[in-house]
Amino acid sequence: MASLLAKQGLNATSFKSAPKRVSRRTVQPVRAAGAASAEDVPDMGKRNIMNLVLAGGVGLPAVSMAGPFALFFVPPRSAPQAQQQQQQQLSS
């Protein structure tokens, strides 16, 4: 390993870490999270509209995927003529 590093012109001083930067900003104390003010909370009408938009946005794709999923478990129908031909082939 040492010979490989020597061939490339690297030595122990090549791997020194960069000097650490010292922040000169003052540290702000951590504040406890308080309750939101009344101005930050939307009114009930707006909240209901947002809930309806959310329910529609999630419900529409969910319902559109539920139909094909349910139809997967329903056996396919065969045509009456095909059933008659199968019965005739079995009886003869």
Side-chain angles (χ1 to χ4, degrees):
M1 183 73 171
S3 62
L4 179 64
L5 293 174
K7 287 180 184 177
Q8 294 178 354
L10 301 173
N11 54 23
T13 59
S14 301
F15 298 105
K16 287 185 179 177
S17 62
K20 294 182 181 180
R21 294 184 180 185
V22 178
S23 175
R24 299 187 191 273
R25 293 186 293 166
T26 58
V27 178
Q28 296 289 332
V30 177
R31 298 179 187 164
S37 66
E39 298 166 356
D40 296 335
V41 178
D43 61 344
M44 188 55 74
K46 191 178 283 187
R47 291 175 64 186
N48 286 336
I49 295 294
M50 289 191 300
N51 286 338
L52 289 173
V53 169
L54 176 67
V58 171
L60 185 64
V63 169
S64 67
M65 288 186 280
F69 180 77
L71 290 176
F72 175 80
F73 295 103
V74 176
R77 293 186 194 177
S78 60
Q81 293 174 352
Q83 288 177 349
Q84 289 175 359
Q85 287 176 358
Q86 287 177 352
Q87 290 174 355
Q88 288 174 358
Q89 289 174 353
L90 292 175
S91 62
S92 57

